[in-house]
Amino acid sequence: MKVWRWLLSLVVGLLLPLSIMGRFVVEKNSLRVASPEKIRGTHDSAIGNFGIPQYGGSMAGNVVYPKDNKKGCKEFDESGISFKSSPGALPTIVLLDRGSCFFALKVWNAQKAGASAVLVADDVEEPLITMDTPEEDGSSAKYVENITIPSALVGKSFGEKLKDAISGGDMVNVNLDWRESVPHPDDRVEYELWSNSNDECGVKCDMLMEFVKDFKGAAQILEKGGYTQFTPHYITWYCPHAFTLSKQCKSQCINHGRYCAPDPEQDFSTGYDGKDVVVENLRQLCVFKVANETGKPWVWWDYVTDFQIRCPMKDKKYNKECADAVIKSLGLNVEKIGKCMGDPEADADNPVLKEEQDAQIGKGSRGDVTILPTLVVNNRQYRGKLEKGAVLKAICSGFEETTEPAVCLSTDVETNECLTNNGGCWQDTAANITACKDTFRGRVCECPLVDGVQFKGDGYTSCEARGLGRCKINNGGCWHDARNGHAFSACLDNGGVKCQCPTGFKGDGVKSCEDIDECREKKACQCPECSCKNTWGSYDCSCSGDLLYMRDHDTCISKIGSQGRSTWAAFWLILLGVVMISGGAFLVYKYRIRQYMDSEIRAIMAQYMPLDSQAEVPNHVNDERT
């Protein structure tokens, strides 16, 4: 009894200052009624703290109020009720009454019956509250983690209007809108994770550890790229002054009762104490501070993940020695971290933990942090399942539109709207190509880029391949066929978009191309001696007897005549060659003979008359003798 009284005093000690200084803020999304006209308008609804809200997106659907099992505390299969939407129909949003069982169980039963979302109508007139998960036990843990649809609580009076409209035969169409649930002012998102280093607190601790391991990669990508600013936080309580000297307070608190944590095993006589958890929380805060000072704040994710793996409570390694080994392996300064932590036994405030307690109090649009774990995105508390895809979607919705990093457009945050009826977008089932693209804000219909070929169109009813290479992708959407080892296509790979039947075919080139019967239509083999045979995509012509068919001239000629003409052509060609060679040789010969004769004549002439360049030679033939 003393233990329970101390725990009650501890909780009162926490809640008293919170009730004076802070407040719990209910996170809301917009609910707009599109029809019927008499209740059309916009209303607030409180986002449930489980399932996966569609942060950054919206959902339109028809509201259904079951005739039986109106509180949803039993499985709907027992009543033969199904909320599955027919192909092409809007999603089904189920309206249930509050009471008799946990909120999460109502949503789980509706989800199993095919509901896309759940609205719970309050049963008393009061301000909206947050539907939270039940205290963990074996039965609730089996379904809480499997809830994947969004849910919200609506006020009693508004719930009655919805019920009256449905019972009156009206089709109630609403739109759930989460686009403004997270502010998105600029191209950087600031978010916080309020957690605990305790790994022996049951389902929530297991869920938190699993989330940290799964989310580490995406978180570090966002942080290294400068897209986000992440800050870890840890909740601590203080021990009421009247109990600071008690055994319970000493085992659960440090700094003389200023900073406390519940016993990990809820058993003060065994295992680790609450103060061990507080010390490790402090160490993890200082790991982040030192890592941030070195320009690598993302190392915190590595430390927390490695500490969970290497230093679990169940192996009795949840201690300073194991923590220091992890710190050293990550290249962080152990001395700096120890100096940051200070002295847990000092009767004085710890600056790091004092700052954490101050931060627990809500400021601005953010309420008090009273639930573990809690995620805060752009100063708004996240509501929903702590799961990688869901949290990444909430963070991505905090970016100003068109400034989202690539990780926000990955498969981790797909809305999966393309799985149903292809999202209403264009699709080529033969080539397995679709214009539907899932994003964290919902599906969009955009003509795709496939193997370097861009499709153009509205994305809803048509997409056509454009540019070179388009014929490689499902023949560019044109007609194609193959027979007897021959393939034909109406696609022209010239960068255009026209489908034109190939030679030998006629048709629109898109849906059909029919073989032209050249023989029957007398488009070939028209000579009297010709015989025609049509083949797929072409024709064959032959000539009777020894005649040879000439396709270019569409005529038959004699094989012998053609050979004779070929022989005479060769003869005359050879003869012409011989004549040209002979003529050339004769010219060369004549030129050489003339040169020789000219030289001989000059020599003879030189003997009888002097050349201009020589002296006169004396001539004694006519000398007179005396």
Side-chain angles (χ1 to χ4, degrees), residues 333-354:
N333 192 309
V334 176
E335 288 73 21
K336 281 188 176 181
I337 293 173
K339 184 178 180 180
C340 168
M341 293 177 64
D343 182 11
E345 301 299 328
D347 186 6
D349 287 338
N350 182 293
V352 177
L353 292 178
K354 181 67 168 62

Side-chain angles (χ1 to χ4, degrees), residues 42-350:
T42 302
H43 306 266
D44 283 337
S45 57
I47 304 173
N49 200 31
F50 47 82
I52 302 179
Q54 302 297 322
Y55 281 102
S58 60
M59 176 189 294
N62 291 323
V63 181
V64 174
Y65 183 54
K67 295 182 179 179
D68 298 317
N69 193 19
K70 295 181 178 181
K71 293 185 177 181
C73 294
K74 298 183 297 182
E75 293 187 4
F76 288 95
D77 292 342
E78 298 177 1
S79 306
I81 299 175
S82 175
F83 302 121
K84 292 182 180 179
S85 302
S86 303
L90 287 173
T92 300
I93 300 174
V94 178
L95 176 65
L96 299 174
D97 291 329
R98 181 182 178 181
S100 301
C101 62
F102 294 128
F103 291 117
L105 180 59
K106 298 173 186 288
V107 177
W108 172 241
N109 287 334
Q111 176 180 306
K112 288 194 297 181
S116 297
V118 172
L119 298 177
V120 178
D122 205 342
D123 55 358
V124 293
E125 288 292 352
E126 62 177 351
L128 291 174
I129 64 171
T130 296
M131 300 187 297
D132 199 6
T133 55
E135 291 297 323
E136 289 83 5
D137 56 39
S139 59
S140 64
K142 292 179 180 179
Y143 63 81
V144 170
E145 287 303 300
N146 293 318
I147 298 175
T148 58
I149 63 174
S151 60
L153 182 76
V154 298
K156 180 181 179 182
S157 59
F158 175 59
E160 293 297 330
K161 291 180 181 179
L162 293 174
K163 297 174 192 176
D164 292 342
I166 294 172
S167 62
D170 290 321
M171 183 179 74
V172 178
N173 181 265
V174 303
N175 187 287
L176 299 175
D177 193 341
W178 295 268
R179 287 176 294 183
E180 299 302 323
S181 296
V182 174
H184 42 95
D186 50 37
D187 59 356
R188 191 182 77 166
V189 171
E190 299 176 3
Y191 71 106
E192 310 166 359
L193 177 63
W194 291 80
S195 61
N196 201 320
S197 62
N198 180 6
D199 60 11
E200 288 292 333
C201 64
V203 176
K204 280 197 173 182
C205 283
D206 296 338
M207 176 187 66
L208 175 61
M209 289 188 293
E210 192 65 27
F211 166 73
V212 170
K213 287 189 290 185
D214 288 346
F215 195 69
K216 182 182 78 168
Q220 291 181 326
I221 290 173
L222 291 168
E223 202 73 10
K224 290 178 181 179
Y227 301 112
T228 59
Q229 181 179 335
F230 167 73
T231 307
H233 288 290
Y234 296 83
I235 288 182
T236 60
W237 293 267
Y238 66 83
C239 181
H241 184 71
F243 297 93
T244 54
L245 299 179
S246 67
K247 178 181 178 181
Q248 293 84 1
C249 191
K250 288 182 178 180
S251 66
Q252 310 309 306
C253 309
I254 65 172
N255 293 95
H256 288 248
R258 288 175 173 83
Y259 314 105
C260 311
D263 187 278
E265 303 88 1
Q266 299 297 312
D267 187 347
F268 296 107
S269 62
T270 185
Y272 288 94
D273 294 326
K275 66 180 182 180
D276 298 318
V277 176
V278 179
V279 170
E280 179 54 34
N281 290 348
L282 175 59
R283 182 179 290 108
Q284 294 187 4
L285 286 168
C286 288
V287 164
F288 175 78
K289 184 177 180 180
V290 172
N292 194 34
E293 290 173 353
T294 61
K296 297 180 180 179
W298 52 83
V299 176
W300 177 88
W301 293 90
D302 292 316
Y303 174 80
V304 173
T305 303
D306 291 352
F307 183 82
Q308 291 173 355
I309 296 172
R310 297 172 59 180
C311 311
M313 288 183 175
K314 63 181 179 181
D315 293 340
K316 307 300 180 184
K317 295 181 179 180
Y318 188 89
N319 52 47
K320 182 180 185 302
E321 290 72 24
C322 187
D324 286 347
V326 176
I327 292 170
K328 290 178 181 178
S329 69
L330 296 175
L332 297 174
N333 192 309
V334 176
E335 288 73 21
K336 281 188 176 181
I337 293 173
K339 184 178 180 180
C340 168
M341 293 177 64
D343 182 11
E345 301 299 328
D347 186 6
D349 287 338
N350 182 293

Side-chain angles (χ1 to χ4, degrees), residues 3 13 60 69 148 155 198 271 291 344 365 372 395 434 443 493 529 534 576:
V3 172
N69 193 19
T148 58
N198 180 6
S365 60
L372 278 180
I395 291 175
T434 176
R443 73 100 177 94
D493 199 359
E529 303 88 354
N534 192 69
L576 180 61

Side-chain angles (χ1 to χ4, degrees), residues 379-400:
N379 211 37
R380 290 281 182 86
Q381 290 192 26
Y382 165 83
R383 295 287 183 250
K385 184 179 180 181
L386 200 64
E387 181 264 340
K388 177 184 177 182
V391 169
L392 190 56
K393 184 181 297 184
I395 291 175
C396 289
S397 69
F399 290 101
E400 184 181 8

Side-chain angles (χ1 to χ4, degrees), residues 20-41:
I20 297 173
M21 301 173 61
R23 71 205 189 286
F24 182 85
V25 173
V26 175
E27 301 299 338
K28 302 174 183 179
N29 66 301
S30 174
L31 189 157
R32 182 172 56 85
V33 179
S35 67
E37 181 72 26
K38 58 186 177 183
I39 60 171
R40 178 180 293 181

